[in-house]
Amino acid sequence: MKLWGGRFSRDTALEAENFNASISVDSRLYLQDIEGSKAHALMLGKCGIISTDEAAEIINALEEIRLELESGSADLKNDAEDIHMNIEKLLIEKIGETGKKLHTARSRNDQVALDLKMYLREEIHKILKLLTELEALLLDKAEEHAGTIMPGYTHMQKAQPVTLGHHFMAYFEMFKRDMGRFRDCLKRMDAMPLGSCALAGTTYPIDRKMVADILKFSDITQNSIDAVSDRDFVIEYISCCTFVMMHLSRFCEELIIWNTEEFGYIEMDDGYSTGSSIMPQKKNPDVAELIRGKTGRVYGDLISILTVMKGLPLSYNKDLQEDKEAVFDAGDTLKSCISVFIPMLASVTVNREKIMNNLKGGFLNATDLADYLVKKGLPFRDAHEAAGEMVKYCIAHNKELIELSMDEFRKFSCCIEEEIYEFLRPEVCLSRRDTEGGPSEQRVREAVLRGREFVNRFAEAADQ
Ligand code: ARG
């Protein structure tokens, strides 16, 4: 017998029942559902809508159901459709008539919105913790490589010298923004929807604030129609997940490139690489590739919920049930990716020598040469032109700028002096890049210190 069976004269067709059921997906909301129901029952008792004894009986029974679900002794069934009705059914089986009173002044529509918000806020805390760990690792790596000069690239072409530490700190900034996005998302979803009921609130004298307080929401939703129609918080959460995935994916792509024979900047640890079934020599960066690949599915989750919501009339429609697979998949995928990315990055070996050798070729110091001429009084455009001609000459004669003789330099500009050789050394070029937020060793060390303050502040706030 369905909990809503009164107005029906025949059973749901089996195909329809199975099609409609979401228990296989939403069973993981059991804890939030039970906590929400306990708060609701307590409030019903306090407001005199049910007796306080009845409220206590319901709360005790819900607690027993929780234990039974956790020990595997209670069954969740397809014919009870979803987690909300399964738990209500178990409650009625357990305590009979009193159990039937729990759903007073409530609907599954506000119930599911509540459960999902409670679930996601916990997920966000878990994700923030993982991101904090990742940030701490990046700071260690950046500190270790604050002085490791390497070629910086634009268009995948050698551009100007930077440090590996600075490159790591670029990712630190990205993940820091991602953490901010999750925190914003958390703030906006901090409104308790219960009491909106199906869509039009209720005729019972409920106390919504009391439920919000028990469930640790700082506010209640302000419009009953919006509260049961709204999945903005789901979209925002998945969108936050896509940002992190995109950043991880870019990072993985770089690690994959750096790990190639051609670059050889790093070597992935054996523990995070796999072999080939045919080519005995192979060691492939599968884990990094798979993180890059899984980014696609999290983007898919975002598109899926955006598409579900598009054109959906107010208020609740069953389409909304489709939000769960997307939102669970996005969070699970993200957590598993960050969790494996951290030890993978931690175990990477950096080949300083290969990186340093690669400072040759590509004329990383050509901008510095132009800057030198500016120092000697040339306007930048003319200096750029002259440096470009020297590069062209070097390409034709298979030389580095630093290998030109004084006579050769002077053919292009009479103001070049002996000091040019020192001026163009990669270490010297780098140390001059001392802009705030720039790549010099000193600036990277400062950035790491600021980063540590951020991570410590964040970890402290999370503990409270
Ligand atoms: N399983 C449903 C969902 O996830 C719960 C709400 C159902 N409400 C309804 N009126 N059918 O969206």
Side-chain angles (χ1 to χ4, degrees), residues 238-302:
I238 303 182
S239 143
C240 292
C241 294
T242 62
F243 271 96
V244 182
M245 288 303 301
M246 180 261 292
H247 292 147
L248 284 176
S249 183
R250 294 182 78 173
F251 208 158
C252 284
E253 169 68 6
E254 296 205 301
L255 295 176
I256 292 164
I257 294 173
W258 292 350
N259 186 55
T260 56
E261 174 79 29
E262 287 76 2
F263 269 79
Y265 287 6
I266 60 162
E267 187 178 342
M268 293 274 198
D269 189 76
D270 281 8
Y272 296 88
S273 312
T274 50
S276 153
S277 61
I278 172 172
M279 297 167 281
Q281 84 286 11
K282 291 278 273 182
K283 182 175 145 186
N284 299 323
D286 285 30
V287 174
E289 290 170 29
L290 205 47
I291 295 175
R292 190 178 59 186
K294 282 181 189 289
T295 306
R297 43 184 298 164
V298 180
Y299 287 8
D301 293 328
L302 179 62

Side-chain angles (χ1 to χ4, degrees), residues 95-273:
I95 57 171
E97 292 305 301
T98 311
K100 292 184 186 168
K101 296 192 174 183
L102 171 64
H103 212 52
T104 317
R106 190 176 73 170
S107 150
R108 269 185 302 154
N109 298 351
D110 55 353
Q111 195 178 349
V112 70
L114 172 75
D115 292 1
L116 201 49
K117 280 186 172 179
M118 287 171 65
Y119 176 84
L120 290 184
R121 76 183 174 186
E122 276 173 43
E123 287 298 291
I124 291 178
H125 285 301
K126 289 183 199 155
I127 293 169
L128 285 173
K129 194 159 174 283
L130 284 172
L131 286 173
T132 313
E133 263 175 60
L134 174 56
E135 292 291 63
L137 172 65
L138 281 171
L139 291 171
D140 290 345
K141 290 269 167 199
E143 189 164 31
E144 188 185 339
H145 293 288
T148 308
I149 306 179
M150 74 167 200
Y153 298 80
T154 62
H155 312 267
M156 275 301 280
Q157 305 282 317
K158 281 185 187 169
Q160 291 173 348
V162 294
T163 50
L164 182 56
H166 194 52
H167 202 99
F168 283 142
M169 285 307 286
Y171 284 100
F172 178 90
E173 290 296 321
M174 298 182 223
F175 295 120
K176 187 173 147 194
R177 289 195 295 274
D178 294 340
M179 291 172 78
R181 265 184 280 272
F182 271 115
R183 289 203 304 182
D184 287 348
C185 173
L186 206 51
K187 271 187 233 149
R188 248 183 310 279
M189 74 166 75
D190 189 15
M192 204 285 302
L194 231 50
S196 306
C197 301
L199 79 162
T202 180
T203 54
Y204 296 94
I206 57 171
D207 183 347
R208 299 189 62 208
K209 282 266 189 229
M210 173 182 169
V211 178
D213 284 346
I214 299 172
L215 298 176
K216 300 197 164 55
F217 280 88
S218 44
D219 207 352
I220 54 175
T221 53
Q222 301 296 317
N223 180 295
S224 64
I225 294 178
D226 174 51
V228 295
S229 316
D230 170 38
R231 290 296 180 274
D232 290 3
F233 62 98
V234 171
I235 297 173
E236 213 176 330
Y237 167 84
I238 303 182
S239 143
C240 292
C241 294
T242 62
F243 271 96
V244 182
M245 288 303 301
M246 180 261 292
H247 292 147
L248 284 176
S249 183
R250 294 182 78 173
F251 208 158
C252 284
E253 169 68 6
E254 296 205 301
L255 295 176
I256 292 164
I257 294 173
W258 292 350
N259 186 55
T260 56
E261 174 79 29
E262 287 76 2
F263 269 79
Y265 287 6
I266 60 162
E267 187 178 342
M268 293 274 198
D269 189 76
D270 281 8
Y272 296 88
S273 312

Side-chain angles (χ1 to χ4, degrees), residues 372 406 409-410 415-423:
Y372 176 84
M406 257 345 272
F409 270 129
R410 289 242 164 88
C415 56
I416 299 180
E417 288 171 66
E418 206 51 48
E419 66 202 353
I420 190 69
Y421 296 106
E422 176 65 12
F423 196 90

Side-chain angles (χ1 to χ4, degrees), residues 22 26 81-82 84 108-109 112 316 318 320-321 324:
S22 57
D26 60 26
E81 197 178 319
D82 56 23
H84 325 292
R108 269 185 302 154
N109 298 351
V112 70
Y316 183 86
K318 187 73 170 186
L320 291 176
Q321 181 166 286
K324 267 158 238 77

